[in-house]
Amino acid sequence: MPKDGGIGASSKRREDIRFLTGRGNYTDDLSLHGQTYAVFCRSTVAHGRIVSIDTKATADMPGVLAIFTGEDFKDVGGNPAGWLINSRDGTPMREPKRPVLAHGKVRHVGDAYAAVIAETYAQAKDAAEQVAADTEIEELSPIVDMAKAVANADNRVHDEIPDNLCFDWGWIEDNRAAVDAAIKAAPHVTTLELINNRLVPNAMEPRASIGEYFPGTGDYKLTTTSQNPHLTRLLVSAFVMGIPENKLTVVAPDVGGGFGSKIYHYGEEALVLAAARKLARPVRWTAERSESFLSDAHGRDHVTKIELATDLEGNFLAIRTETLANVGAYLSNFSTATPTFLHGTLMAGPYKVPSVYVNVKAVFTNTAPVDAYRGAGRPEATYSLERVIDKMCRELNLNPFDVRRKNFITPDMFPYATPVGLNYDTGNHGATLDKAMQMANVAGFEARVADSAKRGKLRGMGLSTWVEACGLAPSHLAGVLGSRVGLYEAATVRVNATGNISVMTGAHSHGQGHETVFAQLVSERLGIPESSIEIVHGDTSKIPFGMGSYGSRSLSVGGSAIDRAVDKIVAKGKKIAAHMLEAAEDDIVFANGNFTVAGTDKAKSFGEIAFSAYVPHNYPLETLEPGLEETAFYDPGNFTYPAGAYLCEVEVDADTGRVEVAEFICADDFGNVVNPMIVEGQVHGGVGQGIGQALCENTTYDENGQLVSASYMDYAMPRADDVPFYNVDHSCQTPCTHNPLGVKGCGEAGAIGSPPAVVNAVIDALHRGGYSHVKHIDMPVTPSRVWAAMQAK
Amino acid sequence: MYNFDFVKPSSVAEAVKALSDDEAQPLSGGQTLLPSMKQRLNAPGTLVSLTGIAELKGVKREGDTLVIGAATLHATVAKEAAAHYPALAELAGQIGDPAVRNRGTIGGSLANNDPSACYPAAVLASGATIVTSNREIAADDYFQGMFTTALEPGEIITAVRFPIPQKAAYAKFVQPASRFALTGAFVAQYADGVRVAITGASEGGVFRWSEGEAALSSNFSADALKGMSGEAEGMIGDLHGTPAYRAHLVGVMTRRAVSAAH
């Protein structure tokens, strides 16, 4: 019998009522007295030296209030990378300054080098056009291709960085000799070169920011599309603008999707604050869709060679990878962590592989910055690994199900330390694989192949068994790995005098459903109806602190912080109850919303205790403060390790090469599940994005550094009819052993596990259809690529 | 978008007069013009809306000919042409999405002559006649290359006259992002022969596939085209397909259109 509330219930998403009825409150919905409009001048060339920007003509244009260029920010700080990565030789990464506005050089198409503030949006647009017309940029040779970038020491994105190399990272360097030796001695080595395609995040709501300055107090307020307002405040305060943290409020109201791209602080946020201070008026900016394409941090963009050494029965002996990771023109905040500690650490997957060595060279190019995008590094690792396993199975004529199963880390082996630095706490990969195979009716596959063939379609099945590390992150470990911040989460549970509850969380919901799920958590613990619990997020003036939402951390880290704060509420409630019931504190039991003296019928309801805390007439004032509000900071002991088995069936149109996903089956292990409906929705969304990456999304810069796929006319987003009805299960549960809820992250899983399942299925379909010469097709596996591969016999 | 003046005449004569201004541009459904204006890539001084002119709208049968007013919506064609020229109605019903089909017009599409648009294939394969404010133009003379037509400045399309074929069909392979035709084939069988028009594929815009026509005129079946494909030379090569791929699709989509023809 499904529950109708609390943990395990599919409570309807309370936030959807406002989203679906047009009552959401997004940054661009905010209208302020005296507001002004910012428009940015963006480079139309990939690489150029700014010779001059003449703003005189613009300054006299109607409505123009202020013009900013890089010169205005040359003395303020840069926007830093959040992780310091050291190269194999021990030297720290090269970290160029990322200014608010480009200064000296423009480094990618879309790089903002000036901004105009005007009374109206149209006036600001006109003025920005004039500034562009009065700007001279000397075009320099663009650096686009990563291999050429590192091979050419003379052509530099940043003049001070030779060979355009940010770092050359080895993980783990001590493994290298053993891996090299194992590969040399192995009976079989499968090699695969592949590209993990660059993705444009395409949040439905483009980035938007409004800066306000209050001269009377010297306070600033930034309303912005952020996944983590406290981090933005920290970066603006401590690094970029020097505004004291206590004088800056950052509010991220309703945010329409982020997928990683809104984790980061961007120059536009600093600009609207600087302009607001100068004008003492609100300054607003909302990206146009074209600006989003050009200036949001993109995702992925790896070129990888992976080698898998095995015996002839397919037992894994060693894995070695070499990757060029594009970081674009500047280091975005998480850009150095994504291809390293979110990627290299996952290269053993769910398998007991004796030795692994990962090498990643991060490369500057004249393209938009690249950073974490749903999955962030883990999809890249999973794709490389699951593709090379599939290729090995074909080379050795082995069954891909059997090969994965015999290499799985088995339940009795947990906790399991991998050769790439992680300590998996729990899992049961055989169970999820069994479940997926059962859901897929693997035995009936040959009949389905025959049925497809009757319709002129080649049918194939692809498997991906994956594990990921999320719930970012244990601060001590992150610190060892180079993080410059802690990655705990904070929560305050405020019981109001009338017994209802406000929960302030540092996690930020931009579509995930926190307002529903966190209320379920608190309801379960305190026996209070969900409708009496309010979740407050996205405002630094209301919330103690927070590190926001990304890395599938909201429930496992943010939810655990709430749980800990509830522990404190219950503990204090017991003290109050003990006093009121004239019993020993140790004899008080809290259950179902009542504090009871154990073994008696003496009880006080939660509401009575709350009231007493605020109207302390009968209260132990000598030993206990009034009020009922508790804050907890929770720092996780480890990552959480969700895992699963994904099975994809595709049909390939033999005439056109078009791939249709016929079936997609997910058997996931997310540990305990708080809201099954929301978990299923997260998996749907993640798999949708994974299918988009695998089949559709084609970010392309030409040799001049122009983004060719810069609009929806050319950038193919997956649409409803590109994806199948998903078959999703999360009944295989090995609860996380180290957080109080036993939960694992589910937000990125779909995007991590799905791309290789799709591509493996396409290759399988082609092999079954007689095109066994096709060993690999790079994503996106578009009709023209499939057709070309079929022809290349 | 830059500022512009807007006029909405109620007759063709008034529209022609308004368009005599060099800075004026006609606006029909605005499916191409308005996005380009929003991006400031196009800046007409005056937009002359053609959607308030009653004589430009409607679908009517005149003997063996279907006459469609230039300002008729795709959605209207999809519905009202179905009983007369089902292949044309089906083509109209596959253009864009519901929002596009309830704004875009046949005249706007033909005047723009996007090399990936659907309507030019139907018009050319049907040997239709483009009726304008001052003359009639045969389809074979009308399409003159990508975004280029026989229209003179200020000349307005008022209607399109389609001879109704015995059998016809349109088969479109969509470009994955825009869902315009990556390659679309319209096949129409008439008493005097078969016409095949291909859109989306060629750098020269919509064109008649003469080898396909010859093969089908003697044997109207998909088998007649077995192994045939277009010529890669002159085909569009872009993110979504090479010239060779498009040339291949010419054969595939024409075969599919023939199989579906009714």
Side-chain angles (χ1 to χ4, degrees), chain A residues 203-473:
Chain A
M204 196 177 287
E205 180 203 24
R207 288 191 294 121
S209 302
I210 301 174
E212 292 174 81
Y213 177 65
F214 306 94
T217 57
D219 287 338
Y220 294 79
K221 182 176 178 183
L222 174 67
T223 306
T224 191
T225 49
S226 176
Q227 298 178 216
N228 53 353
H230 284 92
L231 184 65
T232 296
R233 186 180 68 168
L234 184 68
L235 290 167
V236 169
S237 296
F239 294 91
V240 183
M241 301 282 288
I243 299 169
E245 251 181 306
N246 60 320
K247 303 302 278 181
L248 173 62
T249 294
V250 177
V251 177
D254 285 333
V255 172
F259 314 112
S261 68
K262 294 172 182 168
I263 300 172
Y264 328 115
H265 166 56
Y266 291 86
E268 290 89 350
E269 293 170 325
L271 187 284
V272 296
L273 287 170
R277 177 176 56 195
K278 182 168 181 174
L279 300 172
R281 291 174 64 178
V283 177
R284 63 186 303 144
W285 166 77
T286 300
E288 297 183 353
R289 185 56 67 179
S290 301
E291 285 185 285
S292 302
F293 269 98
L294 297 175
S295 69
D296 288 0
H298 294 175
R300 317 281 194 259
D301 206 347
H302 284 194
V303 176
T304 293
K305 176 183 172 188
I306 180 166
E307 293 161 286
L308 170 63
T310 61
D311 64 19
L312 297 177
E313 284 75 49
N315 292 301
F316 301 169
L317 301 175
I319 292 166
R320 181 167 64 192
T321 71
E322 287 172 39
T323 291
L324 292 177
N326 204 332
V327 290
Y330 304 100
L331 294 180
S332 178
N333 301 139
F334 276 32
S335 63
T336 51
T338 300
T340 54
F341 293 110
L342 296 174
H343 167 244
T345 52
L346 264 299
M347 204 51 84
Y351 309 110
K352 44 181 199 254
V353 43
S355 57
V356 179
Y357 178 73
V358 175
N359 173 237
V360 178
K361 295 186 175 75
V363 184
F364 291 105
T365 58
N366 292 122
T367 63
V370 180
D371 206 327
Y373 171 79
R374 200 173 193 169
R378 290 149 289 166
E380 294 90 320
T382 303
Y383 182 68
S384 299
L385 191 54
E386 292 301 302
R387 280 291 300 124
V388 80
I389 291 169
D390 217 61
K391 185 164 185 262
M392 178 272 285
C393 291
R394 283 185 203 292
E395 288 175 356
L396 294 177
N397 196 24
L398 298 170
N399 178 307
F401 294 92
D402 297 345
V403 163
R404 285 175 172 86
R405 196 184 296 280
K406 73 176 162 193
N407 284 287
F408 278 155
I409 300 159
T410 49
D412 55 303
M413 297 168 80
F414 292 101
Y416 183 88
T418 74
V420 271
L422 295 179
N423 197 0
Y424 298 151
D425 61 339
T426 182
N428 188 344
H429 305 301
T432 46
L433 181 56
D434 288 342
K435 186 77 195 175
M437 291 176 73
Q438 174 201 333
M439 291 160 72
N441 179 16
V442 172
F445 177 63
E446 293 299 335
R448 296 195 291 278
V449 171
D451 179 63
S452 298
K454 279 187 214 149
R455 290 178 283 110
K457 302 284 175 68
L458 315 177
R459 197 179 188 98
M461 180 185 274
L463 171 64
S464 160
T465 52
W466 57 274
V467 65
E468 67 123 332
C470 63
L472 305 185

Side-chain angles (χ1 to χ4, degrees), chain A residues 128-211:
Chain A
E129 246 171 39
Q130 189 62 49
V131 171
D134 295 337
T135 295
E136 190 188 337
I137 292 178
E138 175 201 346
E139 255 190 274
L140 302 172
S141 173
I143 298 146
V144 183
D145 179 81
M146 285 193 279
K148 288 181 191 162
V150 290
N152 184 349
D154 298 330
N155 197 13
R156 299 176 182 183
V157 177
H158 296 276
D159 296 349
E160 70 277 20
I161 299 177
D163 58 32
N164 299 301
L165 194 62
C166 178
F167 55 75
D168 176 0
W169 180 77
W171 189 252
I172 293 174
E173 205 54 29
D174 289 348
N175 292 355
R176 185 174 193 159
V179 169
D180 288 350
I183 286 177
K184 203 170 176 190
H188 187 82
V189 178
T190 300
T191 303
L192 183 59
E193 293 183 31
L194 42 76
I195 291 170
N196 204 289
N197 45 323
R198 181 186 278 240
L199 303 173
V200 178
N202 283 306
M204 196 177 287
E205 180 203 24
R207 288 191 294 121
S209 302
I210 301 174

Side-chain angles (χ1 to χ4, degrees), chain A residues 22 57 117 171 189 216 259 349 415 418 449 476 478 493 499 530 635 666 680 752:
Chain A
I117 319 299
W171 189 252
V189 178
F259 314 112
T418 74
V449 171
H476 68 91
V493 174
E530 289 170 29
D635 203 289
C666 303
E680 180 158 353
I752 292 168

Side-chain angles (χ1 to χ4, degrees), chain A residues 125-126 129 290 653 655-656 698 700 709 712-716 719 721-722 783-784 787, chain B residues 2 39-40 173 175-180 239-242 244-245 248-249 252-253 256:
Chain A
K125 284 283 281 185
D126 289 344
E129 246 171 39
S290 301
D653 181 334
D655 288 336
T656 64
N698 55 343
T700 304
S709 52
Y712 295 127
M713 288 299 282
D714 284 303
Y715 189 91
R719 304 196 197 190
D721 61 359
D722 288 316
S784 64
W787 180 78
Chain B
Y2 296 104
Q39 291 189 292
R40 294 192 157 200
F173 191 82
Q175 193 255 53
S178 70
R179 301 212 169 172
F180 273 65
L239 282 184
H240 310 286
T242 57
Y245 183 59
H248 168 73
L249 287 179
V252 174
M253 301 321 285
R256 289 186 180 181

Side-chain angles (χ1 to χ4, degrees), chain B residues 103-194:
Chain B
R103 280 283 172 196
T105 67
I106 185 169
S109 172
L110 294 174
N112 187 47
N113 191 20
D114 188 301
S116 301
C118 295
Y119 266 132
V123 168
L124 187 60
S126 304
T129 301
I130 315 289
V131 184
T132 77
S133 46
N134 49 5
R135 59 182 167 147
E136 297 194 349
I137 310 171
D140 286 325
D141 301 326
Y142 176 81
F143 299 103
Q144 300 189 345
M146 252 186 210
F147 299 108
T148 309
T149 69
L151 290 176
E152 301 289 342
E155 187 175 13
I156 300 169
I157 302 175
T158 57
V160 187
R161 302 170 62 86
F162 289 91
I164 297 173
Q166 296 163 340
K167 276 183 166 183
Y170 178 58
K172 169 165 69 169
F173 191 82
V174 297
Q175 193 255 53
S178 70
R179 301 212 169 172
F180 273 65
L182 187 74
T183 295
F186 199 103
V187 171
Q189 184 182 32
Y190 290 91
D192 58 351
V194 175

